[in-house]
Structure formats: C-alpha cells, structure tokens
Amino acid sequence: MQQALIYLQALKSQNHGKYLPAVHELLSLHVCARCCLRFAGVRDKTYSSPSPASHVLLAALTDTPHQTCLSSAEAAGTEPQDAANHNSATDPPIAQQPSPISCSAQSAKPIQPATDADHQHHSPATLTHATDQTPTDVIHGVVCPACLGVLQAPEGSLQAVPSAVLAGLPEAEGNAGSWQTCTSGSIASLSEHIRQEGHVATNIDLDITLPAACITRQLSIWHHLQTQFSSQGLYTSPHMFQEVVDLKEALRLTVATPLAQQMGVQAEREGDLRVMLAYLHPSSSAETDFLFIYGGGGKGRGYKRKRGQPKVVYAGRSASETVMQQASRLSRSFFLQHCTSPAVAPTTGVQLAYRVWQKPLYVAGRYLKLLRGVAQSPWIIDGQRKGVSSVEERIADAVLPAFQADRHKFMSAGREDFDVRMLGSGRPFVLEIINARAAVPPQSAFDAMQLTLEKEDHGVQVQALQPVPRSICSLLKAGEAEKQKSYTAICQLPTAVTPEMTDIINSTKDLELHQQTPVRVSHRRADLVRHRTVYAMSCELVPGSPRHLILRLRTQAGTYIKEFVHSDEGRTQPHLASLLGLSTSAAILQLDVNQIHMDFLQQ
C-alpha cells in the first residue's frame, strides 16, 4: 500500500487533483498506475517508484477496501502490505495468470505467452473494446490497455522475442551491436544485460521504440475521457499530448535515471553509451492498419490504399510518428467510427529487445606512404587483391586493439594512386571507431601506435595521431575541397628539353585547365569537364637525360596531374606538351605528393 500512497500523493499534488475522477475511471478500465500518472499530466520522479497494482491504487483512492485490509492485518499481527486482498502491492510479472475473479467476456483477459504465430497472423484491424458491461473492479495482473504493458515491464517478466522478429529490427548507427531479447524489464536485469556487453562508459542514453498501436490505444482512451469529463474542463485540448504525458517521456522517467544509478553512470541525452530498447507487440500492425486504409475522415481528401496489402507498422524509430501523423488526419468522429473507445487490455503484453553500442569515437592524424604499390584502402579487382596491404589496414591494425571495437570507417582528404607516394607532413585522415568497448587511451598510447607503425617498415607511417571530436570530420571534408597540393613528377618529353621550355614552365602562374573525366576513372565518375588551376610550376633537368625533367607543381585540389602531363588523349587542355609547343604528348614516369596544404593537426 505504501507504493499506492506515493502515487496517490503525486496525483493529488499541485494541479493534478482535478484529474482524480478521471483516474478512477482509468483504473476501472484496468489502466496501469503509471499511465494514470500520464493521463493526469504528472511529470516527476514518481514514475521511478515501484508501481502499485491497479486494484491497490484504486483501494487507496476510494479508501474503503484499504481500511478493511489494514484492520485485518493489525488483528492478525502481520504487516499491512502482507495482508492485502491480493498477495502483492505491486503488479505481478506480465506473463502471470490473474487471480480467478469473475468477469464478463468483454473484460480484460489473462495474459498468455506470445508465440511466433502471433506475429504472423494478426487480429482484425480494430482494437478490442470495452462495453457497458465492463466491470469496474480492476483485475489484478492484466496488461494495461493504454501502454500494452510497457510501463508495467519494470515489475514483470516478459516473453522472449522470436528470432525472426529480432532479425527484422532496424540496425543501429554504423551497424553496431546486435539485437538481443530480454525476458525481464526490471532495472537490475537491464543493467546486467548492458554490463555483459563489456562497454566502459561514464554516461548512458536510452533510445526507445514503442509499439505503434500505443498511439491508437491512447487516442481511444483519450477520446473516451473527453466524452466523460470535458464538461468538467478536463481533456479539452485539441491535441492529446497537450494534457497527456507522452509514453516515451514517461518510460524515460521510469527507467533512465534508476538504470544509470544501478550502473554507476550518469543519464544524459546524447550520452556516449547508447541503449536501444525496442518494445514490441505482435498485434500492433493489425491494430493500426485501418489508419493506412483510411487516412481522410473529414480533413481534406481521404487517402485509401488501392493496391497490395495495408502498410505494416511493426517497430522502428518512426513507426509511432507515422501512426500519429496518419491518426491526426482523421476527425474524432471518423476515428471512433473505425476504432470505438475505450480499448481494453490485450491478451498478451509487450516483448522487449535491446541493443547496446558506444557512440562512434574518432582518431585522426596525417599518414605518409613511403613506398609505391600500396593502396589507400583494400583494392580487390575481380576477386584478386592488388597489393599486399593498404594504408587503411595498417593504421587500423595499430589503433583498433586499444579500443576493442567492432569495426571502423576510414576517411581522408582525398587519395593518391596505387603507384604514388605520399610524402611531406602526410595526408589528413580520420578513423571512425564503431562500438568501442574500451575507454579512449591516453596520448602516450597513440604515440606508441605511431612508433609501432614506423618500426614495422611497411611503408606506412603516421604523424600527429590523437583522439578528436566528431566535428573534425566536417573540417576534413571542407578542407578536402579547398586545399592545395604540391607534387613532384618525373616527366619524359618527346624531344630534348631546351632552355626556352624551362623558362615557360618556371614562369607559368595560375594556369586554368579544362579536364574531361579521365579514361582511367570514367567507369566510376560522371563524364564532366572540370576546371582546375595550376598555381605555380617549376622544373629542373635530370643530369645525363636530355628528354627528362623533374616537374614541380602546386595545384588546386582535384587536379589530375597525370593527365596534365600526358594529356589523356587530348581530354585535358592545355597539357604539358601543348604548353611547350610540342605536337606529341609527354609521358609521366613517377609521381609523388609532396604536401597537402591544409591546416589539419599540424605538428
């Protein structure tokens, strides 16, 4: 009874007392105690207190059965809570059979385990509804008709989610983690499941998805309350959530803070450790199908699906939003025509699946590629790998073990070809680390990673390796388009190099190129003419090789240097030979990137 008194105090506090008649009506409809708080507009920590059974809250509200219970307990010399008319002052496990209480066929039914067949064969596309014969005594242990047992889950046991349903749930950010079923919604059970994932975190955030049918059920009950109590000034708002606390908000008040306290972390929105709780119900789609068959009802032109089956809304972040949008298109009379109110308790409660993953972490630096014949990322052609390894793999192998992560993504400010070296201070890159279980190591660990790469002598080295915020990715992308690059190319001309040629090269400034998409990348790039600028050029002769020269260039990002030298069958204009007045194109023998001129983690 103590729990009931806590809830009753919240219902009577401030401006919520006016809703007590409505709460009495809700309890007679077998609505759970936490949903009574919602429909009374309560937003406080009461939700996190153990929920009393509906019949106990009703007893506290009417104050008659409770007094009898107390007197019997005192006479027997036992604790009052142990002598309640029912054995517990809190709701029993969700799947528990109710006490044998006589009720009509239209009243709430005992909760039965859900099976795979329930997910395959839905009931008709309307809710089960109460009638005038629905008894007013709240049946102990039934599933709440408003939340489908979502807010009862912390005190109950749940049925396992079928594996086929788990496989169809939406993926998390970066495909991190995997869906697991949870057969208890208690805080202790959730905490243990999360701990078993092995993450190290200081804060936690819940990402909640709910059965879409919760929307139609809440609307059904809300319309019923409007009919009963609008004359008393209650439930007169045009939109339900102007007076009724959203189910997701109530669930956060119920679970988030207690779960964080149980785990010894902070509950924060957009926290580092993300826990997705997916509450599922096998009949949710069937109960909401009518919204997608009829979407009009007096607000503009009606919408009716003409082909195929009705849209199925089972689970997902936007399922409830979609249903709410569809329901908002219906007038009240049209909604009640297809979904009479109030809804009553279903025969099965919700199931719970969870997924745990760490928000992506980011490590950045500048890499050097000192050998030719190394791809930036794994290069597979017709099932055959080109090159022994890649820059991405070498860096990931050095960094990932410290994070105990599932996988990674590699981003860089452009890329050099397989046969081109990356020298100077290196090319900026960011390694996105997905679902790390270990905390970010100290900077000394990153220094050791750099040293490891250098000692391995595979041609890949890293400078300025360090943890960075996510915002660095935007800086990387912005700089990729705006940066300038310096190159060194060894070129071969069709004739001997003359002093006049070197003078032309050394004096050329801000040369605008028109480069049609090169033949070598035409299979994966749009066929466009790109305008790029060569800001400066210089050259020097190769001793003993009259037709060879070392060409140095500083260019705009995105300039095709190889094509500028050999013309790409005339697709780049002007090119090196045409600039020198030669009719035959030059050839490029070697190319190095000397510098990426970009203010990014400079040492």
Side-chain angles (χ1 to χ4, degrees), residues 75-289:
T78 60
E79 292 295 327
Q81 59 266 30
D82 293 333
N85 291 335
H86 296 281
N87 292 330
S88 172
T90 59
D91 282 323
I94 295 297
Q96 180 176 319
Q97 297 290 342
S99 303
I101 299 177
S102 175
C103 60
S104 70
Q106 291 295 329
S107 66
K109 300 178 181 179
I111 300 164
Q112 301 293 338
T115 64
D116 286 346
D118 291 324
H119 294 268
Q120 299 171 3
H121 304 290
H122 299 301
S123 58
T126 55
L127 303 179
T128 306
H129 306 288
T131 67
D132 294 337
Q133 287 74 41
T134 301
T136 56
D137 54 321
V138 179
I139 298 179
H140 185 50
V142 297
V143 181
C144 175
C147 68
L148 290 172
V150 169
L151 294 180
Q152 294 170 300
E155 284 80 33
S157 60
L158 307 169
Q159 296 298 314
V161 181
S163 56
V165 176
L166 286 177
L169 293 178
E171 295 179 341
E173 183 178 1
N175 300 331
S178 60
W179 284 107
Q180 306 289 335
T181 186
C182 189
T183 56
S184 172
S186 71
I187 300 301
S189 177
L190 287 174
S191 174
E192 181 59 27
H193 282 297
I194 295 170
R195 290 181 190 279
Q196 289 176 0
E197 296 292 325
H199 293 85
V200 175
T202 58
N203 51 66
I204 187 174
D205 182 26
L206 296 185
D207 193 352
I208 298 168
T209 65
L210 299 171
C214 288
I215 293 294
T216 53
R217 285 178 164 272
Q218 291 173 98
L219 283 170
S220 172
I221 293 174
W222 181 60
H223 285 314
H224 172 73
L225 294 176
Q226 282 187 316
T227 301
Q228 298 292 320
F229 300 103
S230 60
S231 61
Q232 301 178 30
L234 303 179
Y235 306 108
T236 57
S237 301
H239 302 291
M240 176 172 65
F241 291 128
Q242 290 180 350
E243 288 187 84
V244 179
V245 177
D246 180 64
L247 177 56
K248 189 173 292 188
E249 179 183 351
L251 185 59
R252 285 186 177 277
L253 290 169
T254 304
V255 174
T257 300
L259 180 61
Q261 291 174 345
Q262 180 83 12
M263 298 184 63
V265 297
Q266 295 293 319
E268 296 181 8
R269 296 305 300 266
E270 302 301 324
D272 294 334
L273 186 62
R274 309 296 298 275
V275 178
M276 177 175 279
L277 302 178
Y279 293 84
L280 313 171
H281 197 275
S283 65
S284 184
S285 293
E287 291 191 6
T288 56
D289 278 347

Side-chain angles (χ1 to χ4, degrees), residues 253-572:
L253 290 169
T254 304
V255 174
T257 300
L259 180 61
Q261 291 174 345
Q262 180 83 12
M263 298 184 63
V265 297
Q266 295 293 319
E268 296 181 8
R269 296 305 300 266
E270 302 301 324
D272 294 334
L273 186 62
R274 309 296 298 275
V275 178
M276 177 175 279
L277 302 178
Y279 293 84
L280 313 171
H281 197 275
S283 65
S284 184
S285 293
E287 291 191 6
T288 56
D289 278 347
F290 77 97
L291 294 173
F292 299 93
I293 299 174
Y294 309 98
K299 291 190 177 182
R301 296 183 61 186
Y303 165 76
K304 187 171 183 178
R305 296 177 67 86
K306 296 182 179 180
R307 297 182 181 179
Q309 297 297 319
K311 180 176 180 178
V312 174
V313 180
Y314 187 75
R317 182 188 300 273
S318 62
S320 295
E321 296 174 1
T322 302
V323 168
M324 194 66 198
Q325 290 172 359
Q326 288 296 108
S328 66
R329 302 179 63 185
L330 303 178
S331 66
R332 183 176 187 273
S333 60
F334 194 87
F335 179 88
L336 295 178
Q337 178 184 347
H338 294 84
C339 179
T340 55
S341 68
V344 300
T347 57
T348 59
V350 290
Q351 301 161 339
L352 176 58
Y354 71 94
R355 185 174 204 163
V356 183
W357 76 97
Q358 179 76 260
K359 285 179 63 176
L361 301 175
Y362 298 88
V363 173
R366 300 175 74 105
Y367 76 80
L368 290 84
K369 191 176 79 176
L370 306 179
L371 299 177
R372 305 187 194 280
V374 178
Q376 187 191 73
S377 56
W379 191 4
I380 310 297
I381 304 176
D382 297 329
Q384 298 295 318
R385 183 187 183 100
K386 189 165 185 178
V388 176
S389 186
S390 65
V391 172
E392 174 185 343
E393 290 169 298
R394 294 296 183 193
I395 295 175
D397 288 346
V399 174
L400 289 186
F403 288 89
Q404 302 175 31
D406 286 353
R407 58 186 66 87
H408 71 278
K409 293 181 181 177
F410 186 82
M411 297 166 279
S412 65
R415 63 170 59 228
E416 67 286 332
D417 289 340
F418 181 75
D419 58 349
V420 175
R421 295 186 299 177
M422 178 66 238
L423 307 176
S425 61
R427 184 182 296 276
F429 74 90
V430 174
L431 195 68
E432 180 180 344
I433 300 171
I434 299 172
N435 200 24
R437 286 167 176 78
V440 177
Q443 183 58 46
S444 58
F446 293 98
D447 296 340
M449 295 172 194
Q450 290 187 187
L451 186 59
T452 297
L453 283 168
E454 184 176 343
K455 289 181 177 179
E456 288 178 347
D457 196 27
H458 293 301
V460 177
Q461 295 183 11
V462 171
Q463 296 179 356
L465 190 66
Q466 58 191 274
V468 293
R470 182 175 183 172
S471 58
I472 203 74
C473 298
S474 300
L475 178 62
L476 183 74
K477 293 299 181 183
E480 182 179 352
E482 300 169 1
K483 67 182 180 293
Q484 297 181 14
K485 300 181 183 179
S486 293
Y487 299 88
T488 297
I490 298 179
C491 307
Q492 178 178 298
L493 300 183
T495 62
V497 180
T498 65
E500 291 77 14
M501 293 179 183
T502 60
D503 289 342
I504 292 174
I505 292 173
N506 292 333
S507 62
T508 298
K509 306 290 183 183
D510 298 326
L511 177 66
E512 183 175 347
L513 306 181
H514 303 274
Q515 295 192 298
Q516 190 173 354
T517 302
V519 173
R520 63 188 173 93
V521 298
S522 59
H523 62 288
R524 55 186 172 88
R525 297 275 179 93
D527 190 13
L528 303 172
V529 175
R530 297 170 176 82
H531 302 278
R532 297 290 184 265
T533 302
V534 177
Y535 298 108
M537 288 193 295
S538 63
C539 69
E540 57 186 88
L541 300 177
V542 177
S545 299
R547 294 172 53 198
H548 295 83
L549 58 81
I550 299 174
L551 179 64
R552 305 186 191 281
L553 310 94
R554 181 162 177 157
T555 72
Q556 181 182 358
T559 303
Y560 292 109
I561 304 301
K562 292 179 178 179
E563 282 66 26
F564 168 68
V565 174
H566 62 61
S567 87
D568 194 28
E569 301 177 355
R571 296 165 70 89
T572 290

